[in-house]
Amino acid sequence: MKRSPERIAWMVLFASLFACCALAVGVPATAYTFVNTATVDASVSVKLQAGILKAYSQYETENDARVVSLEGRALSEGSTVIVGPESVGLLTLGDGNPAAPFHTLQLYSNARLRIERARLPRFAGAGAGDDFTISMTDGRMQITARPPESRRFTLRVNGKHATTIIDKPGSYSIEETAGETRVSVAEGQAQVSMPGANQAFTFYGGQRTAVSDQGIAGVLPGFRNLIRNGNFEPPLERDWQVQTLTDPNSTVSGTVTIVGMSPNTSLLLRRTGANLGWGRTGVTQEINEDVRDRRAVQLRVDFAILEQEIPVCGGEGSECPLMVRIDYRNQAGADAYWQQGFYAVGTPSATLPDYVRSNNQGKHVARRLGVSETFEWENLIELLPDMQLIKSITLYAEGHSVQTQINSVELLLQD
């Protein structure tokens, strides 16, 4: 059979054309796909704040779990974190800058979770966002999502009864109990679905839900805030009583001022200088709310400790740069109080206790100096079962030279 040079030439020409088109389309597409999907490890760390906290890697078992200190520990994908009874820890997710993590997860008593995925895009122009997945089987955590405005993210929390997907900045609380998963959205929005379900329900700021084997409960009744002017809009004296106490030998009193512009105002408790001696600076609000037969009272405070002279909370454990105090009347009709302290400088020891020696109601909580963070108590009624009437709430900074900024406070009552 005679070969046709023309036919071979046309075949070579078309093959070259097809190869050129494939390369022209395939190479950019492959590069585009690589740029959009390539990832690197995110920075994950956990630190103790009060009590005891342990962690172990994906290559270890619970028997290998090591205690985490106040200095903290870096973690990787597959690591498990265990928070002890009456303990508190902080998990941060970000790009390695310890002063500005993208997300903070406040871990409360008996929480147990595993870091399934923590990835960031390799390239700045990537189409994909940050990707985090946490599996939590017990306990409660409060999530504050505050990434830079330019960053997109997905934070997925897998529970025993529900999967919660968060992709908007805000504040969220997730709790795992034996019978249900509870999700509360203080700010932002979250999609909640049951494992294996194709449909997700969206919940917005001020809404909450519970998921059990029977399904998603929908939007549950909300909370009523018992505190007036919890964002500290002027005039402050309309709702709060200012308190400035000092040692008799001291001539320097603290100041209570509103900083920032509405609607982003904060309260600054400030007493700074050298050789000041003891002082207390704070505010009190009368509540006088009967909480008998109520389902829950939730307390939430957002604050930052800006300056602290005395390590931890002093030799008696009572001079904290922030102390939150609830005065109440108990079932016997007697006056009582509960308090929680926070500090940002020092390491607890025999001479610097992380509790109040004269009234040991629990451990003080270590915070990061200069960083605004939220701390919440899920249900004060469970914590104080004999509480009948909430009389007042007091927020104060105590010590020598100290400066604390309180961004907001809420005392939420659920009927």
Side-chain angles (χ1 to χ4, degrees), residues 214-286:
Q214 284 68 48
I216 300 177
V219 179
L220 296 177
F223 290 86
R224 175 166 57 94
N225 193 359
L226 300 180
I227 292 181
R228 306 175 304 279
N229 193 17
N231 293 319
F232 307 108
E233 296 274 357
L236 182 69
E237 293 77 10
R238 180 182 57 196
D239 301 295
W240 297 92
Q241 295 82 51
V242 175
Q243 180 185 59
T244 56
L245 303 175
T246 61
D247 184 281
N249 297 321
S250 176
T251 60
V252 179
S253 297
T255 60
V256 178
T257 56
I258 296 174
V259 296
M261 299 295 292
S262 180
N264 299 312
T265 50
S266 300
L267 192 70
L268 183 64
L269 309 178
R270 185 175 186 270
R271 184 173 182 260
T272 59
N275 303 316
L276 296 180
W278 176 87
R280 175 186 292 182
T281 306
V283 293
T284 299
Q285 184 174 125
E286 300 294 327

Side-chain angles (χ1 to χ4, degrees), residues 37-349:
T37 59
T39 61
V40 295
D41 292 335
S43 174
V44 182
S45 64
V46 66
K47 66 183 299 185
L48 175 69
Q49 293 182 304
I52 187 170
L53 186 149
K54 297 181 179 180
Y56 61 93
S57 72
Q58 62 176 320
Y59 306 108
E60 300 172 318
T61 67
E62 187 169 343
N63 294 331
D64 303 310
R66 290 179 288 155
V67 173
V68 178
S69 68
L70 292 172
E71 284 71 33
R73 172 183 168 186
L75 300 178
S76 59
E77 290 182 341
S79 297
T80 299
V81 178
I82 305 171
V83 183
E86 301 181 5
S87 302
V88 185
L90 183 71
L91 183 72
T92 57
L93 310 172
D95 62 354
N97 181 358
F102 299 160
H103 313 285
T104 60
L105 284 65
Q106 186 73 64
L107 310 178
Y108 297 96
S109 178
N110 296 316
R112 185 186 183 98
L113 57 90
R114 177 183 167 90
I115 302 157
E116 303 290 354
R117 183 171 175 81
R119 309 292 296 177
L120 305 179
R122 178 182 292 272
F123 302 103
D130 304 338
D131 190 6
F132 302 99
T133 300
I134 306 292
S135 292
M136 186 169 69
T137 56
D138 292 289
R140 179 171 63 94
M141 68 179 172
Q142 193 269 331
I143 301 169
T144 300
R146 292 283 186 267
E149 292 185 3
S150 60
R151 300 197 74 92
R152 292 179 296 159
F153 72 95
T154 300
L155 174 56
R156 182 179 288 100
V157 181
N158 297 322
K160 290 182 289 189
H161 303 90
T163 294
T164 303
I165 297 177
I166 298 167
D167 57 11
K168 296 291 188 297
S171 179
Y172 310 84
S173 179
I174 301 176
E175 182 179 12
E176 286 292 335
T177 69
E180 62 184 13
T181 300
R182 301 168 183 168
V183 181
S184 177
V185 182
E187 175 191 356
Q189 72 177 50
Q191 294 79 46
V192 181
S193 63
M194 298 185 67
N198 295 323
Q199 185 179 13
F201 296 84
T202 302
F203 298 88
Y204 301 92
Q207 296 181 338
R208 64 187 186 89
T209 191
V211 185
S212 65
D213 292 338
Q214 284 68 48
I216 300 177
V219 179
L220 296 177
F223 290 86
R224 175 166 57 94
N225 193 359
L226 300 180
I227 292 181
R228 306 175 304 279
N229 193 17
N231 293 319
F232 307 108
E233 296 274 357
L236 182 69
E237 293 77 10
R238 180 182 57 196
D239 301 295
W240 297 92
Q241 295 82 51
V242 175
Q243 180 185 59
T244 56
L245 303 175
T246 61
D247 184 281
N249 297 321
S250 176
T251 60
V252 179
S253 297
T255 60
V256 178
T257 56
I258 296 174
V259 296
M261 299 295 292
S262 180
N264 299 312
T265 50
S266 300
L267 192 70
L268 183 64
L269 309 178
R270 185 175 186 270
R271 184 173 182 260
T272 59
N275 303 316
L276 296 180
W278 176 87
R280 175 186 292 182
T281 306
V283 293
T284 299
Q285 184 174 125
E286 300 294 327
I287 303 294
N288 293 320
E289 181 75 27
D290 192 328
V291 295
R292 286 176 294 183
D293 302 321
R294 306 299 178 90
R295 294 185 61 184
V297 175
Q298 185 179 89
L299 175 62
R300 183 184 298 123
V301 183
D302 186 275
F303 67 96
I305 298 172
L306 305 180
E307 181 179 340
Q308 178 184 351
E309 179 182 0
I310 299 177
V312 191
C313 291
E316 296 301 316
S318 59
E319 297 180 78
C320 295
L322 178 64
M323 190 77 83
V324 181
R325 171 169 167 156
I326 299 286
D327 284 86
Y328 65 94
R329 185 171 301 146
N330 61 24
Q331 295 175 350
D335 291 338
Y337 69 91
W338 165 86
Q339 60 188 5
Q340 175 69 65
F342 299 90
Y343 66 97
V345 174
T347 301
S349 65

